[in-house]
């Protein structure tokens, strides 16, 4: 990673202006966060069916949409909130008629309910969570995006989320009954592992996952009562008073 392209503060990853500037510099030259399709093709293809209507969230300049197209998944809509990115990607893949591109915010998807068989994201929800105070409290923007994903998935559709976030931290956020999906995950990578979470709309969460999700929404336990003040030091110098 070229350190000159790192933001001065993590919160900038959430700003459209940051990504516009970055894509103005990099164009549509493919760059993959968390690795390209060859790293997780087996796990991902297990979730895809021929003819699936696929939505890719926060596509960036990743080659993923095009690589899937080449494999025969030819109905793919890719969105990103950076117009610079989308313009470059549209030009780069103009020769692929089934690849569609749109400037859109994942927190406010402009698609009808139940209009996709698969929603796919890689590293995009991670961007919405970069400034969270701790891994237990997902920010309203990330929760809004998850509600949108659930809304646009048809019953039986799959949401595939590829992230560096470990199950311990990410599962409780996906294991919400309100989304109406089941949850499982797999890991990929060699030394450093990434994770692929699969949510199937219309299937039930396993009981332990329901419990995980509910625990997240429980109000924090009240603070422990303050300890009593330590006793005042004795006036006497008791060490000197000991007669040996
Ligand atoms: C870490 S990059 C991942 C890019 C790509 N998915 C990949 O795997 O290489 C995050 C992408 O999400 C986009 N993004 C961030 N917040 C967004 C939002 N609220 N709505 C739509 N796109 C967003 C950014 O413009 C950027 O292209």
């Amino acid at each position: 990673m070229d350190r000159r392209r790192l933001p001065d503060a993590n919160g900038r990853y959430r700003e459209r202006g940051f990504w516009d500037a970055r894509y103005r510099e990099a164009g549509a030259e493919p760059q993959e966060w968390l690795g390209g399709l060859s790293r997780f093709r087996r796990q991902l293809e297990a979730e895809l069916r021929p003819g699936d209507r696929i939505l890719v969230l926060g596509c960036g300049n990743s080659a993923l949409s095009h690589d899937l197209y080449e494999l025969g998944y030819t109905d793919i809509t890719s969105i990103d909130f950076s117009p610079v990115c989308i313009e470059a990607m549209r030009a780069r893949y103009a020769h692929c008629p089934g690849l569609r591109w749109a400037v859109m915010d994942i927190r406010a998807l402009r698609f009808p309910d139940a209009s996709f068989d698969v929603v796919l994201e890689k590293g995009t929800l991670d961007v919405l969570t970069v400034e969270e105070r701790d891994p237990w409290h997902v920010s309203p923007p990330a929760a809004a995006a998850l509600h949108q994903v659930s809304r646009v998935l048809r019953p039986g559709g799959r949401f595939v989320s590829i992230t560096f976030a470990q199950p311990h931290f990410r599962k409780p956020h996906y294991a919400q009954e309100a989304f109406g999906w089941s949850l499982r995950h797999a890991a990929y990578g060699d030394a450093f592992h990434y994770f692929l979470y699969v949510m199937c709309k219309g299937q039930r969460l396993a009981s332990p996952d329901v419990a995980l999700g509910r625990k997240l929404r429980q109000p924090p336990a009240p603070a422990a009562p303050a300890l009593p003040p330590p006793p005042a030091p004795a006036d006497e110098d008791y060490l000197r008073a000991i007669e040996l």
Side-chain angles (χ1 to χ4, degrees):
M1 167 64 68
D2 180 350
R3 294 193 68 80
R4 286 169 308 176
R5 292 170 65 197
L6 294 176
D8 43 16
N10 269 349
R12 296 218 56 217
Y13 282 119
R14 290 164 79 152
E15 295 170 12
R16 204 183 71 178
F18 167 78
W19 291 101
D20 274 342
R22 196 168 163 136
Y23 291 128
R24 208 166 276 124
E25 195 186 310
E29 212 45 52
Q31 190 207 338
E32 300 293 347
W33 291 71
L34 316 180
L37 179 61
S38 61
R39 306 275 301 276
F40 49 83
R41 177 175 168 184
R42 185 177 53 80
Q43 294 95 326
L44 176 58
E45 277 217 277
E47 310 304 330
L48 305 181
R49 317 277 175 269
D52 271 350
R53 295 159 299 169
I54 300 173
L55 172 65
V56 178
L57 304 175
C59 58
N61 50 9
S62 156
L64 181 58
S65 303
H66 179 251
D67 291 347
L68 289 173
Y69 183 87
E70 294 280 285
L71 289 177
Y73 303 100
T74 53
D75 186 342
I76 303 182
T77 304
S78 306
I79 65 158
D80 201 288
F81 71 171
S82 161
V84 178
C85 162
I86 289 299
E87 197 183 317
M89 294 298 272
R90 193 178 275 134
R92 182 181 182 94
Y93 297 116
H95 58 289
C96 306
L99 288 184
R100 287 179 294 278
W101 307 93
V103 177
M104 210 180 289
D105 194 308
I106 62 174
R107 296 162 290 187
L109 297 178
R110 300 190 305 272
F111 300 111
D113 295 357
S115 48
F116 291 96
D117 303 294
V118 173
V119 177
L120 179 55
E121 73 91 19
K122 176 161 72 75
T124 302
L125 287 176
D126 294 337
V127 163
L128 289 191
T129 56
V130 283
E131 260 199 330
E132 264 149 26
R133 288 169 292 129
D134 60 64
W136 305 109
H137 298 91
V138 96
S139 61
L146 290 173
H147 278 287
Q148 288 291 303
V149 172
S150 169
R151 183 183 67 72
V152 302
L153 265 183
R154 69 151 171 90
R158 282 83 59 208
F159 171 36
V160 181
S161 169
I162 299 173
T163 167
F164 60 76
Q166 297 186 356
H168 183 67
F169 298 119
R170 186 54 64 89
K171 273 181 74 172
H173 299 290
Y174 291 161
Q176 294 299 322
E177 292 159 286
F179 300 139
W181 56 37
S182 58
L183 169 61
R184 61 198 150 80
H185 74 278
Y188 73 93
D190 307 319
F192 191 85
H193 283 114
Y194 300 120
F195 300 91
L196 188 140
Y197 296 86
V198 180
M199 281 60 72
C200 188
K201 182 84 187 283
Q203 288 186 5
R204 296 168 71 90
L205 285 167
S207 309
D209 290 338
V210 172
L212 262 186
R214 286 187 183 165
K215 203 167 164 198
L216 186 73
R217 282 181 287 113
Q218 273 164 8
L227 292 172
D235 287 343
E236 296 95 347
D237 184 344
Y238 66 93
L239 279 178
R240 285 177 194 277
I242 296 173
E243 292 179 3
L244 294 176

